[in-house]
């Protein structure tokens, strides 16, 4: 008698295939996720979506929020101050979706009885770098910092108006971005009132290197603890990509980054005899503003190329920050080092470039500010829960911290109920799993 062929392998394979597709985040069965080389910025989706109507702005609380902005329509938000006389820090960080030039801007203002137009609390913008236009870009504003009537108006206002736009860019691609809001309590001693115009630092010498690739995600960026001395790591970048490392800083710290790029050899030497792909290094602060200082008097540069060299010598990139001080507009917390490699032209495949990164934190230890022992709410009828002079930063709804890092925002859509679409999909997957298992057992018993 001809043996009966079991249908278990076929049925099992079908179940597994369906399950593999179904559990992919945000995917329906049979659909594949589109790959993306952009940096994962993190954040929680703006509740209800970002408004493009200045008369009906979206309300935000302190935290890290994500959205997507077009080149045509700026987005509008409001923030209600929680601590009386505070400085409200607002930062944006975007991930360009093409190799065309791009820009991102943020403006903060308040309404006053004296004027029908907004009183400006500051504006900032960042434009993509010509050599690596796909790298992240970001800017920040400290609303209410400093002296003067506009600063006083910004500190005294109950509500701030925020606009996020793309500046004068003509890039049609929509840009994912995050907006971070942190409220800083009033200072009793700013730890020095003059900003550092020219930070003093030495370029660190590389140490014994370990392989530690950066991440294409701020949340997953590996930590470099460089406060006790230089730390050297190696990584390999593919053309058109960007990698990030995380460097925690406290008051007075000054970060310095050196990137050594080798000379092209072998087949790469023939391809890049004169002009190879460009590299760039930047720093990103806790508020997601992008910045760097370059000592041009010592002929340093934060950009370079992967090219062949007759003497076999590579190039060196150097970028530094400023001491973390209120006068410099910087806050303690997680900073990031960004290294990006120019995208390959369409007529050839991307190449890999292995570089060596050395980071050092010059610990200042001086000029540490101090904060009020107690603060009032904006309504002056309560003391905000969780505040202390050791935790002066409101980083989330009713969440104070010693540093400006972190994203404690958790959004629960009450209208959606317990049986949300995501939970419904999860129950569907569980039900199918049981069905597959039951079907398999039946076929085994019949075999």
């Amino acid at each position: 008698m001809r043996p009966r062929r079991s249908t278990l392998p076929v049925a099992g394979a079908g179940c597994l295939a369906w399950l593999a597709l179904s559990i992919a985040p945000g995917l329906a069965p049979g659909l594949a996720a589109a790959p993306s080389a952009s940096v994962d910025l993190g954040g929680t989706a703006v509740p209800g979506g970002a408004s493009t109507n200045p008369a009906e702005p979206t309300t935000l609380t302190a935290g890290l929020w994500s959205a997507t902005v077009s080149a045509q329509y700026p987005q509008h938000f409001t923030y209600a101050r929680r601590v009386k006389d505070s400085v409200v820090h607002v930062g944006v960080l975007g991930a360009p979706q093409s190799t065309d030039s791009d820009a991102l801007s943020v403006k903060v203002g308040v309404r006053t009885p004296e004027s029908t137009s907004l009183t400006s609390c500051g504006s900032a913008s960042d434009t993509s770098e010509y050599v690596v236009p796909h790298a992240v870009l970001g800017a920040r504003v400290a609303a209410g910092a400093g002296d003067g009537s506009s600063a006083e108006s910004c500190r005294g206002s109950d509500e701030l108006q925020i606009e996020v736009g793309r500046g004068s860019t003509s890039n049609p691609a929509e840009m994912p971005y995050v907006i971070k809001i942190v409220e800083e309590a009033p200072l009793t001693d700013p730890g020095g009132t003059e900003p550092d115009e020219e930070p003093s630092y030495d370029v660190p010498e590389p140490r014994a290197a370990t392989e530690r690739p950066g991440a294409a995600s701020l949340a997953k960026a590996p930590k470099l603890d460089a406060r006790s001395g230089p730390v050297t790591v190696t990584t390999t970048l593919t053309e058109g990509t960007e990698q990030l490392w995380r460097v925690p800083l406290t008051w007075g710290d000054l970060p310095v980054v050196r990137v050594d790029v080798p000379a092209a050899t072998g087949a790469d030497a023939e391809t890049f005899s004169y002009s190879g792909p460009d590299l760039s290094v930047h720093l990103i602060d806790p508020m997601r503003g992008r910045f760097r200082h370059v000592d041009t008097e010592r002929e340093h540069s934060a950009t370079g190329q992967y090219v062949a060299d007759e003497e076999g010598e590579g190039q060196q990139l150097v970028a530094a920050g400023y001491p973390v001080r209120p006068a410099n507009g910087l806050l303690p917390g997680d900073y990031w080092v960004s290294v990006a490699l120019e995208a390959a032209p369409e007529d050839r495949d991307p190449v890999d470039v292995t570089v060596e990164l050395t980071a050092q934190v010059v610990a200042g230890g001086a000029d540490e500010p101090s904060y009020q022992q107690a603060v009032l709410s904006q309504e002056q009828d309560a003391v905000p829960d969780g505040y202390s002079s050791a935790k002066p930063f409101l980083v989330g709804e009713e969440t104070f911290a010693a540093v400006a890092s972190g994203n404690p925002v958790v959004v629960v859509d009450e209208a959606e109920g317990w049986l949300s679409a995501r939970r419904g999909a999860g129950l569907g997957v569980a039900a199918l799993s049981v069905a597959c298992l039951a079907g398999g057992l039946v076929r085994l018993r019949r075999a």
Side-chain angles (χ1 to χ4, degrees):
M1 177 180 292
R2 189 175 188 181
R4 185 194 311 174
R5 184 178 59 183
S6 172
T7 58
L8 178 60
V10 176
C15 285
L16 290 175
W18 196 97
L19 285 170
L21 289 169
S22 299
I23 61 177
L27 297 180
L31 298 180
S36 174
S38 297
V39 167
D40 180 5
L41 306 175
T44 301
V46 169
S51 172
T52 57
N53 183 358
E56 298 179 353
T58 300
T59 299
L60 294 180
T61 58
L64 182 69
W65 305 95
S66 64
T68 302
V69 61
S70 71
Q72 292 80 20
Y73 304 105
Q75 295 175 346
H76 300 272
F77 307 93
T78 60
Y79 176 78
R81 176 177 267 103
R82 302 296 195 272
V83 177
K84 183 175 174 55
D85 296 328
S86 66
V87 173
V88 178
H89 299 265
V90 182
V92 292
L93 184 69
Q97 297 298 290
S98 73
T99 56
D100 296 332
S101 61
D102 216 327
L104 188 64
S105 63
V106 57
K107 301 177 183 178
V108 183
V110 295
R111 302 190 185 281
T112 59
E114 296 81 13
S115 176
T116 57
S117 59
L118 289 179
T119 296
S120 175
C121 298
S123 63
S125 62
D126 191 16
T127 56
S128 55
E129 195 164 26
Y130 175 75
V131 295
V132 282
H134 66 275
V136 295
L137 64 166
R140 67 187 187 277
V141 169
D147 301 319
S149 59
S150 63
E152 291 179 3
S153 297
C154 293
R155 286 195 298 270
S157 176
D158 293 345
E159 189 174 73
L160 282 75
Q161 309 294 318
I162 303 168
E163 178 185 303
V164 177
R166 298 276 290 281
S168 59
T169 181
S170 59
N171 191 326
E174 292 199 352
M175 182 190 295
Y177 77 97
V178 289
I179 176 170
K180 184 172 177 66
I181 301 177
V182 170
E183 196 168 344
E184 181 184 13
L187 291 158
T188 56
D189 182 355
T193 57
E194 296 299 322
D196 296 277
E197 295 183 2
E198 292 294 331
S200 176
Y201 61 89
D202 294 322
V203 178
E205 290 296 325
R207 299 289 180 91
T210 59
E211 184 177 359
R212 192 179 305 178
S217 164
L218 273 75
K220 297 179 180 178
K223 177 182 175 181
L224 299 179
D225 191 357
R227 298 191 79 246
S228 58
V231 173
T232 302
V233 298
T234 61
T235 188
T236 300
L237 294 98
T238 303
E239 285 181 289
T241 64
E242 180 177 14
Q243 293 185 16
L244 301 164
W245 293 261
R246 180 172 59 92
V247 181
L249 300 181
T250 188
W251 291 117
D253 285 352
L254 184 154
V256 186
V257 181
R258 165 180 172 171
V259 177
D260 288 282
V261 183
T265 59
D268 288 354
E270 298 179 4
T271 304
F272 309 124
S273 299
Y274 302 104
S275 179
D278 290 287
L279 295 96
S280 178
V281 58
H282 279 93
L283 296 168
I284 302 169
D285 68 32
M287 292 306 305
R288 299 333 192 245
R290 188 176 72 152
F291 70 104
R292 66 187 180 196
H293 173 78
V294 179
D295 190 343
T296 55
E297 291 186 1
R298 289 193 277 182
E299 298 184 351
H300 292 159
S301 175
T303 60
Q305 284 186 314
Y306 175 59
V307 295
D309 183 88
E310 294 181 356
E311 298 180 358
E313 296 183 359
Q315 297 190 16
Q316 183 183 108
L317 287 60
V318 177
Y322 293 81
V324 177
R325 300 174 56 221
N328 293 331
L330 298 175
L331 303 177
D334 286 337
Y335 285 65
W336 289 268
V337 177
S338 160
V339 179
L341 181 59
E342 183 184 11
E346 295 181 356
D347 59 354
R348 66 168 176 80
D349 294 332
V351 301
D352 294 335
V353 180
T354 299
V355 302
E356 187 178 81
L357 183 149
T358 302
Q360 182 173 15
V361 176
V362 180
D367 297 324
E368 183 170 342
S370 58
Y371 292 87
Q372 292 182 2
Q373 292 296 319
V375 296
L376 295 174
S377 68
Q378 183 64 12
E379 295 79 13
Q380 303 189 56
D381 60 357
V383 177
D385 291 336
Y387 174 82
S388 71
S389 59
K391 293 184 177 181
F393 301 108
L394 182 66
V395 296
E397 188 69 10
E398 300 181 356
T399 304
F400 286 89
V403 297
S405 302
N407 177 30
V409 175
V410 176
V411 175
V412 177
D413 190 352
E414 297 294 342
E416 192 177 51
W418 182 84
L419 188 58
S420 64
R422 180 176 297 179
R423 292 190 178 101
L427 290 176
V429 171
L432 183 66
S433 301
V434 174
C436 287
L437 179 60
L441 289 176
V442 169
R443 285 176 171 82
L444 280 174
R445 295 183 67 178
R446 289 178 179 176

